Amino acid sequence: MAGFEIVLEILKAGTLLLIGAIGEIYAERAGVMNLGVEGMMAVGAAVAFSVTSSTGNPWLGVLAACAVGAAMSLIHAIATISFHANQVVSGLALCMVGIGASMWVGKPLVGAPLEKTLPTMPFIYLGVASAFLAWFVLNWTKLGLAIKAVGEDPAAADAAGIDVALVRYGCVCFGGLMAGLAGGYLSVSYIPLWTEKVPTAGRGWIVIALVIFASWSPVRAILGAYLFGCTEILGFTLQRFGINPYILGMLPYTVTILVMVVGAHEALRKRLGAPAALGKPYIREEKLV
């Protein structure tokens, strides 16, 4: 591939990760970890492909993917915010359910090409613009300050009059919406062909690692997403030099494992800038009258 084509492929691959990471950054900034990104992306991809195939309208397919992603994340929000379930367990369950559901929805669509698809450039522009907008909201608006306050010290935020549950619900559902959008982009624009394999191929886990790699910053996520995208595309472009593409294809997942191992260490996670209340349920203490 020529230099421009390689850059374009890197942008395409990285945009998928960037869109998903923006949503997960907001969820984790509010203190809720959602490990179900892979499942939500997979269902989003299946629903977008199915709706597009049946209606001929890929934009409708993308909207449906966003809706189903938000709906799935709402389940995680109810379990972890209202019922104080373990966020890791709930997220993993959501991931498994999502992958199974995507295979069920996509089974009749295997091998069927889409007549209408969407150009990748709108999603590339959307991803970068969303990252800057997300950064601006987090750092320069009252909403952003409320989100960060809830993620750092929910008790203090509650005392200041912030509705902790509402903020967390909103951020988690936004994260699901963005995961669904990433899945929709995958199936109706980036790789518009359904196969028997799960289309996300572990990219949801890369998204979670990217959030840590970016230190929970939407702007840093831009650089991280395209670095991860670069490692994915290198596996294909270096075949001409006799390098096994499968070895290079392992690189982004190897980096993902390393980053998640680092992120699992609480002391290191704090040094990277993780929200202090990340992964911790907030149980409001009722005042005695």
Side-chain angles (χ1 to χ4, degrees), residues 24-276:
E24 181 63 14
I25 285 172
Y26 264 62
E28 296 196 9
R29 277 287 193 174
V32 182
M33 181 187 301
N34 189 350
L35 298 182
V37 176
E38 175 81 0
M40 293 185 295
M41 285 175 59
V43 172
V47 168
F49 196 96
S50 177
V51 171
T52 302
S53 179
S54 59
T55 66
N57 188 334
W59 286 114
L60 188 60
V62 170
L63 288 175
C66 292
V68 75
M72 288 187 68
S73 66
L74 180 60
I75 298 172
H76 179 67
I78 293 172
T80 59
I81 300 171
S82 296
F83 293 99
H84 315 298
N86 183 288
Q87 294 180 11
V88 173
V89 174
S90 176
L92 290 175
L94 191 67
C95 178
M96 290 186 287
V97 169
I99 291 174
S102 70
M103 296 179 71
W104 178 73
V105 172
K107 188 174 182 180
L109 306 171
V110 173
L114 291 178
E115 294 183 3
K116 292 184 179 180
T117 60
L118 295 175
T120 55
M121 290 307 297
F123 289 95
I124 293 174
Y125 294 138
L126 175 64
V128 175
S130 297
F132 280 108
L133 179 60
W135 171 85
F136 178 82
V137 171
L138 273 178
N139 294 283
W140 297 98
T141 68
K142 289 183 179 180
L143 174 60
L145 293 176
I147 291 171
K148 291 193 288 186
V150 167
E152 291 296 333
D153 190 339
D158 192 7
I162 298 172
D163 190 329
V164 174
L166 180 62
V167 170
R168 288 190 166 183
Y169 263 95
C171 288
V172 172
C173 288
F174 174 69
L177 183 151
M178 294 299 282
L181 175 60
Y185 160 64
L186 173 64
S187 65
V188 302
S189 179
Y190 183 33
I191 309 175
L193 178 66
W194 198 264
T195 65
E196 293 182 354
K197 298 181 180 179
V198 179
T200 48
R203 292 181 178 92
W205 297 106
I206 298 179
V207 165
I208 295 172
L210 174 58
V211 172
I212 301 171
F213 182 84
S215 300
W216 292 267
S217 168
V219 171
R220 292 195 194 103
I222 298 173
L223 175 61
Y226 293 123
L227 282 175
F228 276 98
C230 183
T231 61
E232 180 178 337
I233 298 304
L234 277 177
F236 299 100
T237 58
L238 295 180
Q239 291 183 61
R240 69 183 71 176
F241 300 106
I243 300 176
N244 191 324
Y246 295 104
I247 295 176
L248 289 170
M250 293 169 57
L251 185 57
Y253 302 101
T254 304
V255 174
T256 296
I257 293 171
L258 292 175
V259 172
M260 293 186 71
V261 167
V262 172
H265 194 283
E266 189 169 353
L268 289 175
R269 195 168 63 213
K270 287 181 179 179
R271 292 182 65 181
L272 289 171

